[in-house]
Amino acid sequence: MALSKDSVDIENILALNPKTAHHASLVSTSTTKINRRHWKRNEDKNCTSCETNLQNNFDDVKHTTLSERAALREAARCLKCADAPCQKSCPTQLDIKSFISSIATKNFYGAAKAILSDNPLGLTCGMVCPTSDLCVGGCNLYASEEGPINIGGLQQFATEMFKQMKIPQVRDPSLPPVEDLPESFHSKIALIGCGPASISCATFLARLGYTDVTIFEKENFIGGLSSSEIPQFRLPYDVVSFEVDLMKDLGVKVEVGKGLEKNGLTLESLRKDGYECVFLGIGLPQPKLIPIFEGLTIEKGFYTSKDFLPVVSKASKAGMCACKSSLPQLKGNVIVLGAGDTAFDCATSALRCGARRVFVVFRKGFTGIRAVPEEMELAKEEKCEFMPFLSPRKVILKGDRISALEMCRTEMLDDGSWFEDEEQVVRLKADFIISAFGSTLADDNVKAAMAPIKFNKWGQPDVNSETMQTDQEWVFCGGDLGGVAQTTVESVNDGKQAAWYMHKYLQSLHGIPIAAKPSLPKFYSPIDNVDVSIEVCGIKFENPFGLASAPPTTTSAMVRRGFEAGWGFALTKTFALDKDIITNVSPRIVRGTTSGHSYGPGQGAFLNIELISEKTAAYWCRSITELKADFPTKIVIASIMCSYNKEDWTVLTKMAVDSGADALELNLSCPHGMGEKGMGLACGQDTELVRNICRWVKAASSIPVFAKLTPNVTDITAIAKAAYEGGADGVTATNTVSGLMGLKTNAAAWPAVGKEQRTTYGGVSGNAIRPISLRAVSAIGNSIPGFPILATGGIDSAESGLQFLHAGASLLQVGSAIQNQDFTVIDDYLSGLQTVMYLQSIEEMCTWDGQSPPTESHQLGKPVAKLSSIIGKHLPNFGPYKAKRKELVAEHKAGIDLLAEDNKPTVQRPPNQPKKPIPSVQDMVGRALPMIGAYGELDNKQQAVALIDEEMCINCGKCYMTCNDSGYQAITFDPQTHLPHITDSCTGCTLCVSVCPIIDCIKMVSRETPYAPNRGVPLAVSSMA
């Protein structure tokens, strides 16, 4: 057989491999219809017999839920806009662009911190917020074809990641300890009802430093409406428990089984018990009913949402209460009345309680549905029927059971009012009716306990919507009871608002003035106490992140703003003597092409033909003096450049030293323009010139000197050694890589200058050069152990910064990442670095990769059942296989005990605590160097092979194709299931892992059999000898 032809076995494997088409495809429509059914992943809208059995199945069904892969992709899409409209549309004013920026850099704690700082119920709201009406409704990407960002899903993802870390909340460490606060902070504060408004209010009061905060809850469980009326498949109980645990971390107490009642807990009794301030957050506990339902009971088949949903929750939320409740036993036709979120929760819950068909009936049309689109879409997918323009008129009973509901048609008049046309009557058979017409406060016993506050015409407390105060200045109110909030997030904000004004009120009682502008403390945890300072060359840096000598330091005013944002150090833009002053061309800084056709922020590379600073040396020297006076703890490094002239270097060095600079960086590496003047690259590519320049500068300098190296050399370690031999205290590795970013179809380059459209080779920066920079840093680190390195080139996160620290760098310079965003990215970098350092001290998280937990098998971001353990084989998630999966899952769910011990949420407290010392930044420096060396040091006896998780596989065949046309033809691809399978021919090349779109769907595992390479032609006996 010819060596250049595939064997029969390989040809069989290649049967489904792409081939170049030489003619048009021809398949009959009837055949395509059959094929389409086989491969279909979404629901078949024409199928009336494929209704899913949802009984007892309370798994997550939210469309917004995201896996880590999906969250990273979605976060990368976000534009992180200026004066972001999404934030202005959020009731709690979440810094949305900040938390999404942190997700994009895999700093999930930083994202959660930003969320929880403004919304203590950030996970709850991520799951149930009507984001399409709030933040998402203001997203600027609505103006683009790809549509707005899934903000709710990202919020849920980040806070769930933090929840898995099991880290406690602490007070802001910069605030005075509670024991040092005035007596006013020990005032007794009561909050009635443990729902979202009270949890939020109590959290902010505790963050402020109040030490005697107690929540009284009528029920024997926490969470209020979040626990009792939002179904488990939308809001699991462990989410509520997690957020209450965070509140309790701050010392807030919760007493269950204590609610407002005339002869028990009252406002007056609380006053007598010494409570100086009270917050009312009991919601609206009674349902609104219309006369036709009078006398109807559960036994007759009638529920209100207030009857139905709490029973469903108690029977499906393990750990919520000690009761052993059962789900309502529904059957046949169920009619749900209403068009709000609660009505749709009732409808989808009814399907899980045994209803065969559910009809959602509402008075107005589809445009009048109050529920968020996500809720309505879910009910539609689960085959609920919608019946608009109908109003209930009469309940039909057969014996003592409901048998039907009679309704009449509603019409809207020209003036916008509605009337009921009794001539148009509809009768619908029903076994059960669930009324979800809203709620009210109708219990006179509870109202009496709220005396002496004043009630409005709607029977609710009269509340100032700004201060949340009632007519009794010591009594505050929020949530549904307050009359303004209609959603969970608005209730959270009511509690937040009330906390500030309760604080002002309590301090006024003690004569302590409070600033007019609110300043509520943010979320903090032990992570935020991690020290990220480092000492390099005798200089202490607050943190290892600094502004590179690049466009972000064009002016000293920009450096000032950088310091105010939190950067630990800054390089000036490179300046020279007046005789070497330059004038830039334009255009000169352009987006890269290394990330494909990507537009907007998040560019993988930039190319610039910008030269050094256009400002004079005098400007920069005066600026350095000003900056050091105003920011004495920040480090200012002067970046200077001269030609190969000892006198010039001596003069400029003394100017910079006299200005008060902490250190000098010698720019010996600018790859364009300056080299033609005998500067920059012209000096930095010659070891002798580098050695001499460093000697000249060190002779004139009393401060540390760092030589900035160019990557545009054969061996950067030789240049680094020359700097070392010349007395330099360290080096910066590296400057930009010389390149030509691209040519247009008409042969014009970009950037193109002037009418002649001329260009030159520029400096490529950003993530595209990170591998080059990492190689340079690690090579220098191994070549000159202990020699300080300032890394630059592709640092856009704490995660990438950590890579450079591990490779031997001590300090991290950032440029392109700021060009993509703004100076505030430093907040993300700091919390990201602190988190990784802290988590390394926790033994329970030893299997995590940074802030990423081990990936569980999932589809659509949700865990998937391990069918192989049930039926002994894997099934894909499309067509007939998907139907079979649903059938098997339904059978499994029907037999499980929802309240079983193993279904209870993971206990969150006690929290994870460090079991070993938290590493310092210095401890991180060079950790990877012993593992980086020559190829000959690698062991070819320890081989690995690929392993595919077929439950996670989405059947795209990317692994199969790359293995066929770029690898070793070691993956088969089933023509019916499209499940790939690794054969014994796998050589462990890892191409399949590299192109797989699903994180950890393919992993490399140790090879269990000896590896025998396929030599093609056997080795000759003589050569083997």
Side-chain angles (χ1 to χ4, degrees), residues 113-439:
K113 178 181 178 179
I115 293 163
L116 296 169
S117 288
D118 277 302
N119 184 342
L121 284 84
L123 181 48
T124 288
C125 290
M127 290 184 167
V128 303
C129 242
T131 53
S132 57
D133 289 339
L134 300 173
C135 51
V136 172
C139 179
N140 285 329
L141 280 173
Y142 252 121
S144 69
E145 299 85 346
E146 62 266 34
I149 297 297
N150 176 6
I151 297 173
L154 290 171
Q155 182 172 327
Q156 174 186 337
F157 170 79
T159 42
E160 281 192 316
M161 288 293 104
F162 173 63
K163 174 172 166 282
Q164 290 187 54
M165 295 178 188
K166 292 180 65 174
I167 306 294
Q169 179 173 198
V170 299
R171 285 186 69 239
D172 181 349
S174 70
L175 294 176
V178 291
E179 56 268 21
D180 295 341
L181 291 171
E183 186 61 31
S184 55
F185 284 89
H186 303 300
S187 303
K188 291 181 74 175
I189 303 171
L191 300 96
I192 315 300
C194 191
S198 293
I199 297 170
S200 172
C201 185
T203 298
F204 280 109
L205 287 169
R207 287 181 189 173
L208 285 163
Y210 288 94
T211 59
D212 198 348
V213 181
T214 305
I215 296 179
F216 297 96
E217 168 55 51
K218 176 184 69 173
E219 303 290 349
N220 288 315
F221 54 83
I222 55 175
L225 180 145
S226 296
S227 294
S228 64
E229 296 191 33
I230 302 180
Q232 172 80 359
F233 52 85
R234 284 188 61 219
L235 182 61
Y237 179 69
D238 65 336
V239 170
V240 177
S241 177
F242 158 70
E243 290 164 342
V244 171
D245 282 339
L246 287 178
M247 175 189 74
K248 288 180 177 179
D249 289 338
L250 300 176
V252 176
K253 300 177 285 292
V254 179
E255 294 189 21
V256 296
K258 290 186 178 180
L260 285 177
E261 55 179 328
K262 184 177 180 180
N263 297 318
L265 193 68
T266 68
L267 291 182
E268 289 299 339
S269 70
L270 287 168
R271 194 87 190 252
K272 289 176 183 175
D273 288 342
Y275 287 92
E276 296 185 51
C277 202
V278 174
F279 177 81
L280 298 172
I282 63 171
L284 297 173
Q286 285 80 44
K288 288 181 180 177
L289 288 173
I290 58 177
I292 67 167
F293 299 137
E294 192 172 331
L296 294 178
T297 63
I298 293 174
E299 290 72 25
K300 293 180 180 180
F302 176 76
Y303 288 90
T304 68
S305 61
K306 295 288 184 182
D307 300 323
F308 180 66
L309 290 174
V311 176
V312 174
S313 290
K314 289 177 182 178
S316 60
K317 296 189 175 185
M320 176 173 145
C321 59
C323 56
K324 270 289 185 179
S325 300
S326 298
L327 291 172
Q329 297 302 300
L330 304 186
K331 63 179 181 178
N333 289 359
V334 176
I335 296 175
V336 177
L337 301 169
D341 291 331
T342 301
F344 285 97
D345 281 341
C346 289
T348 48
S349 294
L351 291 170
R352 288 157 175 80
C353 295
R356 179 176 170 273
R357 297 185 71 187
V358 175
F359 299 89
V360 183
V361 176
F362 41 97
R363 291 189 176 100
K364 298 180 182 180
F366 284 95
T367 56
I369 290 178
R370 300 190 315 278
V372 295
E374 298 91 337
E375 279 259 49
M376 189 177 74
E377 190 61 31
L378 173 62
K380 178 183 171 186
E381 285 182 8
E382 295 188 347
K383 303 296 192 296
C384 292
E385 302 286 350
F386 297 172
M387 299 185 69
F389 301 111
L390 291 174
S391 180
R393 301 298 290 163
K394 183 181 179 182
V395 178
I396 311 299
L397 297 176
K398 187 176 289 186
D400 60 354
R401 291 287 306 179
I402 290 172
S403 65
L405 179 64
E406 193 172 279
M407 299 164 283
C408 64
R409 175 82 175 177
T410 60
E411 303 276 358
M412 188 173 72
L413 300 176
D414 291 341
D415 62 1
S417 62
W418 290 80
F419 85 102
E420 298 175 357
D421 185 353
E422 298 190 11
E423 293 183 2
Q424 299 187 70
V425 177
V426 174
R427 178 179 287 195
L428 186 63
K429 288 182 179 180
D431 297 283
F432 294 89
I433 295 173
I434 304 173
S435 170
F437 282 148
S439 49

Side-chain angles (χ1 to χ4, degrees), residues 267 278-280 450 452-455 460-465 467-478 481-482:
L267 291 182
V278 174
F279 177 81
L280 298 172
M450 295 164 68
I453 66 171
K454 177 183 175 184
F455 290 84
Q460 295 171 222
D462 203 356
V463 178
N464 181 318
S465 61
T467 65
M468 310 312 294
Q469 273 177 304
T470 66
D471 65 309
Q472 301 296 308
E473 61 177 2
W474 64 287
V475 181
F476 294 72
C477 179
L481 186 65

Side-chain angles (χ1 to χ4, degrees), residues 988-1009:
C989 75
T990 322
L991 262 176
C992 56
V993 177
S994 302
V995 301
C996 179
I998 305 298
I999 296 173
D1000 288 342
C1001 180
I1002 309 178
K1003 295 181 179 178
M1004 300 305 294
V1005 297
S1006 295
R1007 188 183 188 96
E1008 296 180 354
T1009 58

Side-chain angles (χ1 to χ4, degrees), residues 720-1025:
K721 285 178 180 177
Y724 176 74
E725 292 162 0
D729 298 278
V731 293
T732 296
T734 67
N735 209 322
T736 56
V737 176
S738 183
L740 181 66
M741 191 52 77
L743 299 170
K744 296 184 179 181
T745 54
N746 63 356
W750 183 245
V753 178
K755 62 184 180 181
E756 295 85 3
Q757 297 287 283
R758 293 192 61 81
T759 194
T760 187
Y761 301 115
V764 180
S765 65
N767 294 354
I769 72 165
R770 185 188 300 157
I772 298 169
S773 300
L774 277 171
R775 194 251 183 227
V777 169
S778 60
I780 296 167
N782 271 325
S783 178
I784 317 174
F787 195 41
I789 304 170
L790 283 66
T792 183
I795 299 168
D796 70 338
S797 63
E799 183 189 49
S800 57
L802 185 62
Q803 294 179 43
F804 281 94
L805 292 174
H806 284 161
S810 297
L811 297 170
L812 311 167
Q813 297 183 23
V814 181
S816 295
I818 300 169
Q819 293 171 196
N820 267 316
Q821 189 54 42
D822 56 60
F823 287 131
T824 62
V825 295
I826 182 58
D827 200 40
D828 169 51
Y829 297 0
L830 293 178
S831 65
L833 183 59
Q834 288 174 312
T835 304
V836 173
M837 293 166 64
Y838 187 84
L839 297 187
Q840 289 188 12
S841 70
I842 297 177
E843 291 179 355
E844 292 86 347
M845 303 183 71
C846 62
T847 58
W848 286 46
D849 178 14
Q851 297 191 45
S852 298
T855 307
E856 62 177 345
S857 296
H858 64 87
Q859 291 265 344
L860 294 174
K862 304 170 184 68
V864 292
K866 287 282 188 180
L867 292 186
S868 57
S869 62
I870 300 174
I871 62 172
K873 64 177 181 179
H874 297 283
L875 293 176
N877 229 324
F878 58 80
Y881 311 107
K882 183 176 182 180
K884 184 62 176 177
R885 288 182 72 98
K886 285 185 174 182
E887 181 184 320
L888 291 168
V889 169
E891 289 175 6
H892 173 67
K893 292 291 182 182
I896 66 171
D897 178 3
L898 293 171
L899 302 181
E901 199 66 31
D902 56 356
N903 286 326
K904 289 183 178 179
T906 303
V907 177
Q908 288 285 318
R909 296 296 179 269
N912 285 331
Q913 299 287 356
K915 300 288 196 311
K916 49 190 176 183
I918 298 169
S920 67
V921 175
Q922 185 60 54
D923 293 334
M924 301 287 190
V925 176
R927 284 176 63 180
L929 291 178
M931 295 174 280
I932 302 172
Y935 184 88
E937 297 171 355
L938 304 181
D939 185 356
N940 64 8
K941 299 291 190 297
Q942 299 185 57
Q943 295 284 341
V945 292
L947 179 66
I948 298 173
D949 183 337
E950 294 185 356
E951 298 289 359
M952 251 202 292
C953 178
I954 63 171
N955 320 105
C956 64
K958 295 304 297 182
C959 56
Y960 166 74
M961 291 186 287
T962 194
C963 188
N964 285 340
D965 287 1
S966 300
Y968 298 84
Q969 302 83 50
I971 299 178
T972 62
F973 197 56
D974 189 280
Q976 292 301 309
T977 65
H978 276 189
L979 285 172
H981 176 71
I982 306 292
T983 71
D984 293 338
S985 301
C986 178
T987 67
C989 75
T990 322
L991 262 176
C992 56
V993 177
S994 302
V995 301
C996 179
I998 305 298
I999 296 173
D1000 288 342
C1001 180
I1002 309 178
K1003 295 181 179 178
M1004 300 305 294
V1005 297
S1006 295
R1007 188 183 188 96
E1008 296 180 354
T1009 58
Y1011 173 56
N1014 180 353
R1015 303 295 184 184
V1017 175
L1019 292 168
V1021 175
S1022 59
S1023 66
M1024 291 177 66

Side-chain angles (χ1 to χ4, degrees), residues 572 575 616-627 638 640 651-661:
T572 66
F575 59 93
T616 63
Y619 167 88
W620 280 111
C621 289
R622 283 178 54 187
S623 293
I624 292 170
T625 304
E626 290 177 10
L627 290 168
I640 58 177
V651 170
L652 194 55
T653 296
K654 289 182 177 179
M655 286 178 65
V657 171
D658 292 345
S659 72

Side-chain angles (χ1 to χ4, degrees), residues 66-80 100-106 108 141 146-151 153-154 157 595 598-599 601-602 858 954 956 958 994-999:
L66 299 171
S67 65
E68 181 174 338
R69 166 193 173 275
L72 293 172
R73 288 174 69 93
E74 188 70 357
R77 257 195 345 115
C78 177
L79 301 179
K80 294 92 179 175
I100 294 180
S101 294
S102 290
I103 292 174
T105 62
K106 295 188 74 173
F108 306 141
L141 280 173
E146 62 266 34
I149 297 297
N150 176 6
I151 297 173
L154 290 171
F157 170 79
S595 298
S598 171
Y599 298 91
H858 64 87
I954 63 171
C956 64
K958 295 304 297 182
S994 302
V995 301
C996 179
I998 305 298
I999 296 173

